[in-house]
Amino acid sequence: MPYALVYYPNINTQQTNKIRQKYDPQFYLIEPHITLVFPLIGAICEDHLTLHIKNILSAWKKFPIHLQGFQKSWDEYLFLTVQEGKENAIKLHNDLYTGILAEYYRENTAFVPHLMLGVFSKNRVQYLQALEEAQQLDLDYCCMVEKLNLLKITDVNRQIVWNQEYILHILPS
């Protein structure tokens, strides 16, 4: 069964969901989120995975992010991008893809911390419409990355069947 590690931003999702409902096929499956470990498909032991995540996160403290601005990905997705906190999100992503997750690391694709607003690979004309709609909503959010969620997803209908939460603590200075 696939697993993914995500951050659910503590934001008012009403505005982002106006766009996601129209353009994101995962709208009904998952709340607005930032993916830090993309769905892992393959034989991975749940106990080893949770231990790996706990070990990595034990060295991390919570950090602020600022979601603002848009980017089109190489594979035709519209992203609401992370501005402040981007370096921390990239480092956390890279730290997670060590050890038992090293073989899943995508070396040929740069990680862009983002909240996905829509997919346009089948209808590129809609991209410009969605971008204009998103720009009119003036999406601008500041929040604190303080907990992550490990999700277990069914292969068949891509539903989340299990969720484990990890809290990032304040480390002593």
Side-chain angles (χ1 to χ4, degrees):
M1 228 176 252
Y3 295 90
L5 187 68
V6 302
Y7 164 62
Y8 294 112
N10 186 13
I11 60 174
N12 180 345
T13 59
Q14 184 177 7
Q15 295 290 71
T16 57
N17 280 340
K18 284 181 182 179
I19 299 291
R20 290 184 67 238
Q21 186 170 14
K22 289 173 74 173
Y23 303 110
D24 182 356
Q26 295 181 5
F27 173 77
Y28 294 103
L29 301 176
I30 188 168
E31 291 295 314
H33 64 281
I34 297 170
T35 303
L36 290 161
V37 173
F38 294 96
L40 303 166
I41 299 171
I44 191 157
C45 173
E46 187 175 298
D47 290 339
H48 292 139
L49 177 61
T50 58
L51 183 60
H52 172 74
I53 292 169
K54 285 178 187 175
N55 286 338
I56 296 298
L57 296 182
S58 70
W60 276 86
K61 63 180 180 177
K62 60 185 182 176
F63 60 93
I65 62 168
H66 183 189
L67 289 155
Q68 181 188 40
F70 306 101
Q71 180 177 331
K72 184 178 183 182
S73 69
W74 63 270
D75 52 352
E76 308 292 332
Y77 287 71
L78 174 59
F79 294 163
L80 174 61
T81 57
V82 174
Q83 301 300 315
E84 177 190 352
K86 178 180 179 178
E87 297 80 15
N88 280 335
I90 292 170
K91 179 159 178 21
L92 177 54
H93 166 83
N94 292 341
D95 285 358
L96 288 161
Y97 276 99
T98 59
I100 66 168
L101 296 184
E103 68 183 277
Y104 298 97
Y105 183 72
R106 301 173 183 178
E107 289 183 32
N108 58 345
T109 307
F111 175 64
V112 176
H114 67 276
L115 188 151
M116 185 180 73
L117 297 174
V119 182
F120 303 94
S121 55
K122 294 180 182 170
N123 190 342
R124 295 179 186 181
V125 174
Q126 275 190 327
Y127 171 79
L128 293 175
Q129 178 183 339
L131 178 60
E132 186 177 312
E133 290 174 30
Q135 289 170 333
Q136 289 174 3
L137 292 174
D138 193 31
L139 303 175
D140 187 345
Y141 305 104
C142 292
C143 51
M144 189 69 71
V145 176
E146 50 194 0
K147 61 184 172 182
L148 304 178
N149 292 76
L150 179 62
L151 311 176
K152 184 190 269 187
I153 307 159
T154 62
D155 289 326
V156 179
N157 53 7
R158 305 287 295 173
Q159 285 185 307
I160 298 168
V161 295
W162 176 83
N163 175 40
Q164 183 168 336
E165 189 174 271
Y166 298 89
I167 306 291
L168 298 177
H169 297 285
I170 298 174
L171 297 176
S173 302

